[in-house]
């Protein structure tokens, strides 16, 4: 009888240990997002949907360690250091600033970027022009800004002055405004620029642009714009200043129209790269986003009393 009880107890311990073991032994994936943002969340959703479709789901085949830096650089760096200490199999970064921070802190752990520009545009290449071998994911170029600005000439043929706000401390924003400046010059438009480094400054800066007689506002691919878009919208829309962007996600938040990457598809494309890495493939090269759209916001269109040409998809 005693032997039977001992055997039953032993079997129970084995069953319990087996039941608990998989969670402890699951490979870890770190995901860090710079701030809470509806546009960035779409990329996040696409990323994790791709992982699930590829056989990697939290609690079943992987353990996801998720952090949001709430716009704070120190918190962002702490999150990445935590991932490194936890020996994660992969770090997913969203958007640009998170990618830069991760690349600066690890050369061994694979980094899967999304909502970020081509590595050379933010100084993430060596003297030979090579990106870090552990950097994968999906990037955007600046060429799509040209098409986005061309929409202004197409829809607002009488527009002359284009306003924009950019974060002068963000490399991606500085490169984007340079491209915007060149494109406006080529199209005969005057670019009215204003810089800001925090969301607290955005409303005042947007008002200053209105007072400088802008006809259209162009929302750049800038983390400051993502974080402060509702402020820009609420400042400019009552004054009937249309907002054009190269970011499709901003149209869903009130911008009139955009030509740019579909953020959900962007994240999903990055997630497909992550699946390959988690399955053991090494040196998975990053690639350019594949899905871009011309999209408009019907409510904003009606408020401005405008009619768009054909070829646009309704948000």
């Amino acid at each position: 009888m005693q032997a039977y009880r001992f055997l039953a107890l032993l079997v129970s311990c084995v069953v319990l240990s087996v039941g608990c073991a998989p969670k402890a032994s699951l490979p870890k994936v770190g995901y860090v997002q710079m701030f809470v943002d509806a546009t960035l969340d779409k990329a996040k959703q696409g990323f994790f949907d791709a992982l699930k479709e590829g056989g990697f789901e939290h609690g079943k085949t992987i353990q996801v360690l998720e952090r949001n830096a709430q716009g704070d650089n120190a918190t962002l760096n702490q999150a990445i250091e935590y991932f490194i200490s936890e020996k994660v199999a992969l770090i997913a970064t969203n958007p640009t600033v998170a990618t830069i921070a991760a690349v600066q802190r690890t050369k061994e752990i694979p980094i899967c970027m999304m909502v970020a520009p081509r590595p050379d545009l933010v100084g993430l290449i060596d003297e030979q022009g090579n990106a870090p071998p552990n950097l994968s994911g999906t990037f955007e170029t600046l060429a799509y800004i040209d098409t986005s600005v061309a929409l202004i000439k197409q829809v607002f043929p009488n527009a002359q002055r284009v306003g924009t706000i950019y974060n002068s401390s963000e490399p991606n924003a500085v490169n984007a405004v340079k491209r915007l400046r060149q494109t406006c010059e080529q199209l005969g438009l005057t670019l009215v620029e204003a810089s800001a480094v925090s969301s607290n400054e955005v409303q005042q800066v947007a008002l200053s642009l209105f007072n400088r007689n802008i006809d259209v506002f162009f929302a750049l691919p800038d983390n400051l714009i993502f974080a402060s878009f509702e402020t820009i919208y609420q400042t400019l829309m009552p004054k009937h200043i249309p907002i054009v962007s190269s970011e499709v996600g901003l149209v869903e938040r009130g911008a009139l129209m955009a030509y740019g990457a579909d953020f959900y598809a962007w994240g999903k494309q990055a997630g497909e790269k992550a699946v390959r890495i988690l399955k053991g493939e090494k040196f998975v090269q990053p690639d350019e986003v594949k899905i871009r759209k011309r999209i408009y916001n019907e409510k904003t269109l009606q408020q401005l009393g405008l009619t768009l040409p054909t070829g646009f998809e309704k948000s």
Side-chain angles (χ1 to χ4, degrees):
M1 192 67 176
Q2 286 291 106
Y4 174 78
R5 288 177 178 174
F6 175 77
L7 181 60
L9 181 61
L10 180 63
V11 170
S12 297
C13 290
V14 170
V15 169
L16 287 171
S17 65
V18 169
C20 296
K23 186 174 182 180
S25 61
L26 292 178
K28 297 174 182 178
V29 171
Y31 173 88
V32 61
Q33 191 165 303
M34 185 57 184
F35 45 82
V36 177
D37 178 82
T39 304
L40 299 182
D41 285 346
K42 290 184 177 297
K44 170 188 167 183
Q45 183 63 51
F47 178 80
F48 284 109
D49 283 353
L51 258 60
K52 186 176 181 179
E53 290 173 12
F56 295 98
E57 187 174 357
H58 175 60
K60 295 182 178 180
T61 51
I62 57 171
Q63 182 181 353
V64 176
L65 308 178
E66 183 178 340
R67 295 291 184 272
N68 192 298
Q70 303 290 335
D72 183 70
N73 285 323
T75 304
L76 171 65
N77 294 332
Q78 289 170 4
I80 294 169
E81 293 291 350
Y82 171 68
F83 294 159
I84 295 171
S85 70
E86 287 293 311
K87 297 181 172 57
V88 297
L90 179 144
I91 298 174
T93 56
N94 183 11
T96 310
V97 65
T99 300
I100 294 173
V103 168
Q104 290 173 341
R105 280 162 180 76
T106 179
K107 306 299 180 187
E108 291 77 33
I109 299 174
I111 297 167
C112 191
M113 65 176 173
M114 67 198 85
V115 194
R118 198 174 60 207
D120 62 292
L121 297 175
V122 284
L124 295 181
I125 56 172
D126 59 22
E127 293 179 355
Q128 288 72 43
N130 300 314
N134 65 324
L135 181 59
S136 186
T138 304
F139 59 77
E140 182 59 287
T141 68
L142 294 178
Y144 71 117
I145 289 179
D146 302 347
T147 304
S148 303
V149 179
L151 295 179
I152 296 174
K153 293 291 287 185
Q154 182 182 2
V155 179
F156 307 105
N158 296 323
Q160 295 181 339
R161 295 172 65 81
V162 178
T164 197
I165 298 172
Y166 71 101
N167 186 345
S168 56
S169 64
E170 184 180 331
N172 180 50
V174 172
N175 286 325
V177 81
K178 287 180 181 177
R179 186 70 176 235
L180 177 60
R181 195 180 298 139
Q182 293 169 359
T183 305
C184 284
E185 185 177 347
Q186 292 169 358
L187 294 173
L189 296 167
T190 299
L191 182 63
V192 184
E193 306 171 25
S195 65
V197 295
S198 74
S199 298
N200 295 332
E201 301 173 12
V202 168
Q203 183 177 25
Q204 183 178 352
V205 172
L207 280 172
S208 74
L209 289 174
F210 171 74
N211 292 330
R212 293 166 69 184
N213 299 316
I214 62 171
D215 300 305
V216 178
F217 180 87
F218 191 88
L220 285 164
D222 182 332
N223 291 331
L224 181 66
I225 298 297
F226 292 153
S228 310
F229 183 77
E230 279 66 32
T231 298
I232 295 170
Y233 176 83
Q234 292 164 9
T235 302
L236 297 180
M237 267 301 293
K239 302 178 186 305
H240 289 269
I241 302 296
I243 301 172
V244 178
S245 183
S246 55
E247 305 303 321
V248 169
L250 294 183
V251 175
E252 297 180 9
R253 294 165 65 181
L256 172 63
M257 60 182 183
Y259 170 76
D262 179 294
F263 272 58
Y264 175 83
W266 191 339
K268 194 166 187 181
Q269 189 177 335
E272 290 166 356
K273 297 280 187 180
V275 167
R276 291 168 55 185
I277 293 169
L278 292 171
K279 287 183 175 180
E281 190 173 338
K282 295 183 178 180
F283 307 115
V284 179
Q285 295 293 316
D287 63 357
E288 185 177 342
V289 293
K290 297 175 181 176
I291 300 178
R292 298 184 181 90
K293 296 179 178 180
R294 283 179 174 83
I295 195 167
Y296 76 98
N297 184 303
E298 185 173 34
K299 181 180 177 180
T300 302
L301 184 74
Q302 293 173 351
Q303 288 176 333
L304 293 171
L306 298 170
T307 302
L308 286 183
T310 58
F312 284 81
E313 179 181 332
K314 183 168 64 174
S315 171

